[in-house]
Amino acid sequence: MPRMNEKVSYWMLVVPALAIMVIFYIVPVLGIWKIAFTEPETGLTNFVAMAGSNAVKTSFVITFRVAAITTIGCLFLGYIVAYAISNYSSRLTPLMVALVILPFWVSVLIRSFSWIVLLGRSGIVNDALKGAGLIESPLRLMHNELGVLIAMIHVMLPFAILPMLTNMRGISGAYVLAARSLGAGEWTAFRQVYFPQTMPGVMSGALLVFVLSLGFFVTPALLGGGRVLMISEYITYQIQEFLNWGLGSALSVGLLVATALVLLIAARFVNLRAALLERK
Amino acid sequence: MMPRSTFQIFFQTGAWVVIAFLVLPLLVVLPISFTDTSYIGLPKHGLSIQHYVNYFTDAAWLGATWTSIWIGLVVATCATVLGTAFAIGCWFLSDRASSIARWVLITPILVPPVVQSLGFYRFWVVLGLIDTNMGVILAHTLLALPYVSISVFAALTNLDRNIPRAARSLGASVLQTVWAVVVPAAKPGIATGFIFAFIVSFDEIVGVLFITVRRVSTLPKMIWEGIQDNIDPTIAAVATVLVVITLAATAIGVMRKK
């Protein structure tokens, strides 16, 4: 136990960052709550408008649907990669890890731009399909939910892979070996012995991807072409097009509350500390 | 080579397919950037470097690139200093209060970018920071702090608490102990934190869209506006430059590990 005056000197190290965060970040974000309840008038007007609007309802449904499908897609694809990396070690394993981390360093903006180039009306995919004589007129691959989902899964995939990888690397191979030697087939041993042990990693990955997807803006805005209005884009519409700060802020509060609820529910299944605070 | 079961084939081949899905889309900007057309598309009659020439001679693109680089470096420095001190203080304290402080510091990871940007906008108006470099630096430092704090703290988990204790009992002051014992141990985490902080700032777009108007332009903002208005292949040239730098850095990293 550090002595009292010693504790003070440790707090001196903590306080600058903490103070800046509280004053310039926490206070402004709380300010959004205040706007939601006070502009244009004090009361619940904005929330009443929000609850009564079908457009808002649709936007929330789209947001949760896109986030959910993205999460499932990332978990499925990511599991395969994480499994292969942690169970079949070869000369190529370090390369695989590097390639998983690589997209992290390329900005979301550029990755979304790449998907526009690929999926557009006269994009590479459509041109290739037409060149091969497989289609007559271009397919609609973006400016719809499909395009948003493809690009979102691409952007979020590393967030799903890394927690699963950390988890799988800590799993001893002895259990699967034991199951196999007792006569279980490869798939049975995987399903009944290996898979349950990977649940903590799967859950942390799911939480990260879902929470980040809920509030995502760049990719849905670029690939959705205004037709897949997730809440974040809906908020910017309200504020930039209609200067409706009241409704925009109320929607922000709604999004924050939704995120907080997801975290609260997740806390029952996931070790939030390990998933967020002590991320490797 | 052992005969492989469907199970192994599924996971081994599957993993490479997924990795191809992750990496190949990053490379499509390469052929596009050499197009001889004035719109986004594959080269028609031959390769052309006109879009690179445009990028490297256009004052707006170069100015934005330079702004992003220097702001990124300032942000990385500020966030690394503040975040390292923070993480070290919390590591020493390791009590309930410091644990809460660590949760407070990572909120920017959890709050949706648009929501925090609204907050920044309103507060920056009050502070007179709209459309200033200072405003961008402050916002980016806040967004980068969680990453520095997490990576420095992670580096410290392996440090034996008895070592700083020994330094203290031999008469070193708290500051001397931090500087001579803890900081060296945290170095890998500090370096990672610095790089993370730079990247966070260099790639940040939503905040910049809200808190800058005309005077301040960063590279992501130029790319964003380029995609919105007219899709100009210069974006592909810029993207290629950035992707190639990233690939080279990753390759060097892999080599050094080997």
Side-chain angles (χ1 to χ4, degrees), chain A residues 6 10 13-14 21 25 39 83-84 88 98 102 105 107 109-111 114 154 186 239 245 252 273 278-279, chain B residues 5 7-8 12 15 21-22 25 85 92 99 102 108 111 116 118 121-122 142 168 203 220 242 246 250 254:
Chain A
E6 204 151 301
Y10 297 138
L13 293 171
V14 172
M21 188 58 75
Y25 189 89
E39 282 181 30
Y83 184 91
Y88 307 122
L102 175 73
W105 306 116
S107 83
L109 203 51
I110 288 179
R111 282 185 272 167
S114 302
H154 183 246
E186 233 168 355
I239 286 170
W245 273 88
S252 303
R273 244 189 126 76
E278 269 134 32
R279 252 195 302 167
Chain B
S5 59
F7 180 87
Q8 283 169 331
Q12 280 177 331
F21 166 73
L22 262 181
F92 270 114
S99 178
R102 282 168 62 212
V111 175
Q116 67 197 9
L118 291 187
Y121 175 79
R122 293 293 284 232
L142 293 162
R168 291 285 287 132
D203 290 346
L242 295 176
T246 314
T250 306
V254 173

Side-chain angles (χ1 to χ4, degrees), chain A:
Chain A
M1 200 64 202
R3 274 170 290 127
M4 211 50 213
N5 57 346
E6 204 151 301
K7 256 190 152 173
V8 171
S9 46
Y10 297 138
W11 273 108
M12 301 265 278
L13 293 171
V14 172
V15 163
L18 189 62
I20 289 180
M21 188 58 75
V22 171
I23 297 168
F24 296 105
Y25 189 89
I26 306 290
V27 168
V29 170
L30 291 177
I32 295 297
W33 290 66
K34 201 182 135 211
I35 297 168
F37 288 102
T38 55
E39 282 181 30
E41 59 201 55
T42 308
L44 293 171
T45 342
N46 294 317
F47 292 92
V48 174
M50 192 171 115
S53 157
N54 273 325
V56 169
K57 230 171 279 169
T58 314
S59 181
F60 265 106
V61 170
I62 292 176
T63 306
F64 272 85
R65 187 170 59 219
V66 168
I69 299 175
T70 303
T71 308
I72 293 167
C74 287
L75 289 181
F76 178 72
L77 298 178
Y79 199 97
I80 299 173
V81 177
Y83 184 91
I85 291 178
S86 29
N87 288 282
Y88 307 122
S89 89
S90 74
R91 259 177 333 113
L92 293 174
T93 310
L95 177 67
M96 279 176 121
V97 177
L99 290 178
V100 166
I101 300 173
L102 175 73
F104 257 135
W105 306 116
V106 178
S107 83
V108 173
L109 203 51
I110 288 179
R111 282 185 272 167
S112 305
F113 172 69
S114 302
W115 283 108
I116 294 178
V117 171
L118 279 166
L119 302 179
R121 246 185 96 75
S122 47
I124 293 179
V125 173
N126 268 324
D127 276 1
L129 289 176
K130 238 193 301 191
L134 289 170
I135 52 168
E136 294 279 302
S137 55
L139 297 174
R140 225 187 137 78
L141 297 170
M142 63 175 225
H143 291 177
N144 59 16
E145 226 168 285
L146 177 70
V148 172
L149 283 170
I150 294 174
M152 287 275 283
I153 290 175
H154 183 246
V155 168
M156 293 295 169
L157 199 46
F159 288 104
I161 296 177
L162 294 179
M164 292 199 271
L165 201 53
T166 312
N167 161 269
M168 286 182 192
R169 281 185 161 161
I171 294 175
S172 154
Y175 301 101
V176 169
L177 273 181
R180 297 276 285 135
S181 72
L182 289 169
E186 233 168 355
W187 288 99
T188 318
F190 170 74
R191 219 177 37 242
Q192 301 198 342
V193 179
Y194 190 82
F195 185 71
Q197 296 181 77
T198 59
M199 277 320 271
V202 172
M203 285 305 206
S204 322
L207 174 73
L208 267 182
V209 172
F210 193 77
V211 165
L212 293 176
S213 301
L214 273 186
F216 220 60
F217 173 73
V218 172
T219 306
L222 291 178
L223 272 293
R227 288 189 184 81
V228 189
L229 272 194
M230 286 175 69
I231 287 296
S232 285
E233 199 182 355
Y234 198 89
I235 294 170
T236 59
Y237 256 106
Q238 286 304 320
I239 286 170
Q240 285 174 344
E241 306 289 320
F242 306 113
L243 299 175
N244 192 344
W245 273 88
L247 185 55
S249 305
L251 286 164
S252 303
V253 169
L255 186 55
L256 277 177
V257 171
T259 310
L261 281 178
V262 169
L263 286 172
L264 271 178
I265 296 168
R268 302 175 62 117
F269 308 100
V270 186
N271 180 354
L272 287 188
R273 244 189 126 76
L276 300 168
L277 209 52
E278 269 134 32
R279 252 195 302 167
K280 292 279 145 60

Side-chain angles (χ1 to χ4, degrees), chain B residues 67 70-71 120-121 123-137 139 207-218 221 225:
Chain B
T67 306
W70 79 258
I71 286 185
F120 285 147
Y121 175 79
F123 202 48
W124 273 212
V125 168
V126 177
L127 299 174
L129 286 174
I130 293 292
D131 213 13
T132 63
N133 292 323
M134 187 56 216
V136 177
I137 291 170
V208 168
L209 288 180
F210 275 85
I211 61 175
T212 68
V213 192
R214 281 269 158 76
R215 248 179 310 152
V216 181
S217 184
T218 63
K221 195 177 158 191
E225 284 166 356

Side-chain angles (χ1 to χ4, degrees), chain B residues 9-75:
Chain B
I9 292 170
F10 173 76
F11 278 104
Q12 280 177 331
T13 336
W16 282 108
V17 172
V18 176
I19 287 180
F21 166 73
L22 262 181
V23 176
L24 292 183
L26 303 179
L27 303 178
V28 302
V29 290
L30 185 75
I32 303 288
S33 69
F34 287 107
T35 187
D36 52 348
T37 56
S38 60
Y39 52 87
I40 297 273
L42 290 170
K44 277 263 150 67
H45 306 291
L47 301 180
S48 155
I49 57 160
Q50 61 186 43
H51 304 296
Y52 287 91
V53 172
N54 187 37
Y55 172 50
F56 285 109
T57 51
D58 186 291
W61 277 108
L62 286 182
T65 309
W66 172 236
T67 306
S68 280
I69 292 173
W70 79 258
I71 286 185
L73 290 173
V74 173
V75 167

